[in-house]
């Protein structure tokens, strides 16, 4: 019987383990942090709920309204017209635990452990011996154990140990930084079914910042490419400053950071080792989404293993596993390319960002964008839509230069008048979190710009912002 180790217990690893376990294949899934609250916007597309049979209990909010906010604070409302459609907002600690537990219930052996070494055998062809620290006994150091398997799925995120063992090649990473902030009831009600996206050099030179609603708080964060990593604290200060009148009297309850891959690794299958999710590099440009693609890649990889192994009766070859890569690239390659082009065009400066937000006010653009996001497909345009979009892009880009601001101002509160907000801000800004202008952190010492977890070598899992 085929033996498979899945390293990493986020959406990609859990969905892979579920498929394998259903087929009766002997499966182990390794996860060190069973209660990990991953820094992630936590947005999932509507199609994922039914496709992965997700219960409503793991969805904190059903977002049907989005606000795009430009550098000059132009606000464009994007609303879903179909009342049955929504973007699901989840806490990763809740969603990940559900998917992991479901895989375990189907027969996968869940190991609370950290893989520390992988012996890949002759020419990396296996069999593979995993050395890991087993924390199931509750000890702080863990007990060293080994396990021999025929095949490995690397679902262990941007800092993947499996990728290192298989010499998958390096890739650049972006950095996501996020604070979870509790708000007063009036402000929290405003975000009940609304998510906000901010663009501008003050919040990110090459991405966007967000305010996403969760169960009893909002996730406020930003992201930027690796070359701008040193700016991440100032960028988080930027989104706090721009949104401060809507986050008034907020209190930070958690500070998080995480690496996000910018593109797929050079090699995603070597021998009988395959990468999925963030470990493979499946985060989209422009939107930064990774959750759906993590889960989907885990499932597609596992389905290929089940098919090639005849439900565990034989050991698949490297050529067998590479069929998963071909299927993936054929199905999603165009989506990744289109989003990369959009990011290169519209995130390069504030004039382009103003143009981008202006374009989002067009109903055809909104429908095309949401169809692509909600159902994970590249939507074909008719000739009129193509011409209209081209003219709209050219006009918006030309106007963007005139609209781009010389400086940045906070957006006004949506639930209080300006006098009341200013009076509240005079007493206190956001409490805790990163240190802003000499402000003390929640512990009275000021928070570090990047929490230790962001740079750790532990098994990081799929991120993303919309990740």
């Amino acid at each position: 019987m085929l033996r498979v180790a899945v390293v990493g217990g986020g959406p990609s690893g859990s969905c892979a383990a579920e498929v394998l376990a259903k087929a009766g294949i002997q499966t182990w899934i390794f996860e060190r942090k069973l209660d990990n609250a991953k820094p992630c916007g936590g947005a999932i597309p509507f199609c994922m709920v039914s496709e992965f049979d997700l219960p409503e209990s793991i969805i904190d909010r059903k977002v049907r309204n989005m606000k795009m906010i430009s550098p000059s604070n132009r606000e464009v409302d994007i609303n879903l017209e179909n009342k049955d459609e929504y973007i699901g907002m989840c806490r990763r600690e809740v969603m990940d635990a559900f998917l992991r537990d479901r895989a375990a219930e189907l027969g996968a052996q869940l190991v609370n452990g950290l893989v520390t070494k992988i012996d890949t055998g002759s020419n990396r062809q296996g069999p593979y011996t995993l050395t890991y620290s087993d924390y199931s006994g509750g000890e702080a150091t863990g007990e060293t154990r080994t396990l021999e398997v025929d095949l490995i799925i690397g679902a262990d995120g941007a800092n993947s140990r499996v990728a290192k063992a298989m010499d998958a090649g390096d890739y650049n990473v972006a950095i996501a930084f996020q604070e979870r902030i509790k708000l007063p009831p009036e402000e929290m009600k405003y975000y009940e079914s609304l998510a906000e996206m901010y663009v501008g050099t003050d919040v990110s030179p090459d991405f966007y910042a967000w305010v996403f609603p969760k169960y009893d708080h909002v996730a406020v964060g930003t992201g930027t490419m690796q070359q701008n990593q040193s700016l991440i604290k100032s960028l988080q200060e930027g989104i706090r400053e721009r949104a401060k009148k809507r986050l008034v009297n907020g209190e930070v309850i958690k500070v998080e950071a995480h690496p996000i891959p910018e593109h797929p690794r050079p090699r995603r299958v070597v021998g009988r080792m395959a990468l999925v999710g963030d470990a493979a590099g499946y985060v989209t440009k422009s939107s930064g989404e990774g959750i759906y693609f993590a889960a989907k890649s885990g499932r597609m990889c596992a389905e290929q293993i089940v098919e090639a192994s005849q439900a565990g009766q034989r050991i698949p070859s490297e050529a067998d596993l590479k069929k998963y890569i071909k299927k993936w690239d054929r199905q999603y390659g165009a989506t990744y390319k289109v989003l990369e082009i959009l990011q290169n065009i519209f995130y390069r400066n504030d004039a382009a960002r103003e143009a981008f937000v202006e374009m989002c006010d067009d109903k055809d653009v909104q429908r095309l964008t949401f169809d692509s996001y909600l159902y994970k497909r590249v939507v074909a345009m008719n000739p009129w839509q193509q011409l209209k979009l081209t003219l709209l892009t050219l006009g918006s880009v030309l106007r963007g230069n005139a609209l781009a601001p010389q400086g940045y101002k906070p957006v006004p509160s949506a639930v209080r008048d300006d006098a009341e907000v200013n009076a509240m801000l005079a007493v206190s800004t956001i409490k805790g979190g990163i240190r802003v202008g000499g402000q003390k952190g929640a512990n009275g010492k000021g928070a570090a710009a990047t929490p230790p977890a962001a740079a750790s070598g532990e098994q990081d899992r799929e991120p993303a912002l919309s990740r």
Side-chain angles (χ1 to χ4, degrees):
M1 174 60 70
L2 182 67
R3 303 165 298 173
V4 180
V6 180
V7 183
S12 62
S14 296
C15 290
E18 177 183 344
V19 171
L20 296 172
K22 276 183 178 178
I25 292 173
Q26 196 168 9
T27 306
W28 291 263
I29 179 169
F30 290 85
E31 176 54 48
R32 168 66 184 97
K33 300 176 181 178
L34 296 179
D35 59 350
N36 185 55
K38 184 176 176 181
C40 171
I44 61 172
F46 179 65
C47 67
M48 186 173 179
V49 178
S50 58
E51 186 175 346
F52 289 87
D53 196 20
L54 301 178
E56 289 200 357
S57 60
I58 72 165
I59 299 172
D60 287 345
R61 303 278 181 175
K62 294 181 177 180
V63 168
R64 295 186 174 89
N65 309 290
M66 291 282 293
K67 272 190 186 293
M68 296 292 301
I69 302 176
S70 77
S72 65
N73 285 348
R74 174 177 180 171
E75 299 183 41
V76 169
D77 292 306
I78 305 174
N79 304 311
L80 289 175
E81 297 174 355
N82 185 336
K83 63 181 179 63
D84 295 325
E85 295 176 336
Y86 60 85
I87 299 170
M89 291 292 172
C90 304
R91 285 165 290 163
R92 287 293 300 276
E93 61 270 30
V94 175
M95 179 181 182
D96 290 11
F98 169 80
L99 292 172
R100 258 194 321 267
D101 291 345
R102 184 166 69 182
E105 289 168 3
L106 289 167
Q109 299 180 53
L110 177 57
V111 180
N112 181 196
L114 174 66
V115 174
T116 56
K117 181 182 176 183
I118 301 173
D119 183 341
T120 61
S122 177
N123 296 320
R124 295 193 173 94
Q125 297 298 310
Y128 304 97
T129 302
L130 283 68
T131 302
Y132 64 97
S133 296
D134 188 340
Y135 293 91
S136 59
E139 299 295 329
T141 55
E143 183 177 351
T144 301
R145 297 180 183 275
T146 60
L147 175 70
E148 184 179 278
V149 296
D150 305 302
L151 191 150
I152 299 176
I153 296 177
D156 47 343
N159 295 329
S160 172
R161 281 190 172 86
V162 177
K164 291 181 176 66
M166 60 190 273
D167 190 24
D170 293 329
Y171 54 17
N172 292 329
V173 296
I175 301 298
F177 189 100
Q178 178 173 275
E179 295 173 295
R180 301 193 189 196
I181 302 178
K182 281 207 168 188
L183 300 178
E186 294 90 339
E187 279 72 19
M188 198 64 225
K189 184 171 178 57
Y190 167 71
Y191 287 108
E192 186 172 6
S193 63
L194 171 72
E196 292 180 331
M197 295 172 61
Y198 292 73
V199 291
T201 303
D202 59 327
V203 299
S204 179
D206 42 30
F207 203 55
Y208 64 88
W210 62 90
V211 180
F212 286 173
K214 304 293 178 158
Y215 173 68
D216 61 353
H217 62 277
V218 290
V220 180
T222 184
T224 189
M225 301 306 177
Q226 191 170 33
Q227 63 266 29
N228 297 314
Q229 181 176 345
S230 62
L231 301 176
I232 194 68
K233 179 183 175 183
S234 64
L235 299 175
Q236 183 68 10
E237 290 179 10
I239 179 57
R240 284 176 57 146
E241 177 64 21
R242 191 101 79 83
K244 70 180 181 181
K245 292 187 176 182
R246 294 186 179 175
L247 306 175
V248 65
N249 271 17
E251 182 173 0
V252 177
I253 58 176
K254 194 173 184 62
V255 180
E256 309 163 306
H258 198 74
I260 302 173
E262 293 184 29
H263 54 76
R265 290 190 189 271
R267 293 172 292 281
R268 288 167 280 166
V269 169
V270 174
R272 293 174 176 85
M273 297 177 284
L275 300 178
V276 295
D278 273 19
Y282 295 147
V283 176
T284 60
K285 296 277 191 176
S286 186
S287 67
E289 183 189 356
I291 298 176
Y292 173 84
F293 293 111
K296 186 69 172 181
S297 63
R299 175 177 285 186
M300 286 179 66
C301 180
E303 287 173 344
Q304 178 60 36
I305 292 170
V306 172
E307 179 183 342
S309 70
Q310 299 171 5
Q313 299 307 306
R314 60 179 291 268
I315 299 176
S317 66
E318 181 173 337
D320 290 330
L321 293 183
K322 284 185 174 178
K323 290 179 182 177
Y324 134 70
I325 301 295
K326 292 178 182 177
K327 291 176 183 176
W328 177 268
D329 291 344
R330 185 168 57 247
Q331 186 165 346
Y332 295 112
T335 298
Y336 281 80
K337 191 61 182 176
V338 167
L339 290 173
E340 182 177 3
I341 292 170
L342 288 177
Q343 179 163 327
N344 291 337
I345 293 174
F346 290 116
Y347 287 175
R348 69 184 188 276
N349 55 43
D350 278 354
R353 295 179 188 108
E354 288 287 347
F356 173 58
V357 174
E358 181 178 81
M359 288 178 59
C360 289
D361 208 10
D362 182 83
K363 293 299 181 184
D364 280 342
V365 172
Q366 291 183 17
R367 188 67 260 174
L368 289 168
T369 301
F370 267 114
D371 276 352
S372 297
Y373 177 79
L374 293 175
Y375 299 104
K376 289 294 160 278
R377 61 189 180 215
V378 176
V379 180
M381 293 183 287
N382 61 45
W384 161 243
Q385 287 176 318
Q386 291 175 343
L387 177 60
K388 177 184 175 181
L389 183 58
T390 300
L391 295 174
L392 186 62
T393 301
L394 291 173
S396 295
V397 169
L398 290 173
R399 285 190 295 275
N401 288 302
L403 295 172
Q406 297 301 308
Y408 307 95
K409 298 178 181 179
V411 294
S413 170
V415 297
R416 304 178 193 272
D417 62 46
D418 213 42
E420 182 184 6
V421 170
N422 288 335
M424 294 171 71
L425 289 173
V427 176
S428 174
T429 57
I430 298 170
K431 304 177 184 70
I434 63 168
R435 186 166 51 198
V436 180
Q439 173 193 340
K440 298 295 184 182
N443 60 3
K445 299 179 180 178
T450 304
S456 75
E458 294 197 356
Q459 286 166 204
D460 300 305
R461 297 186 307 277
E462 299 75 285
L465 301 180
S466 208
R467 43 329 200 191

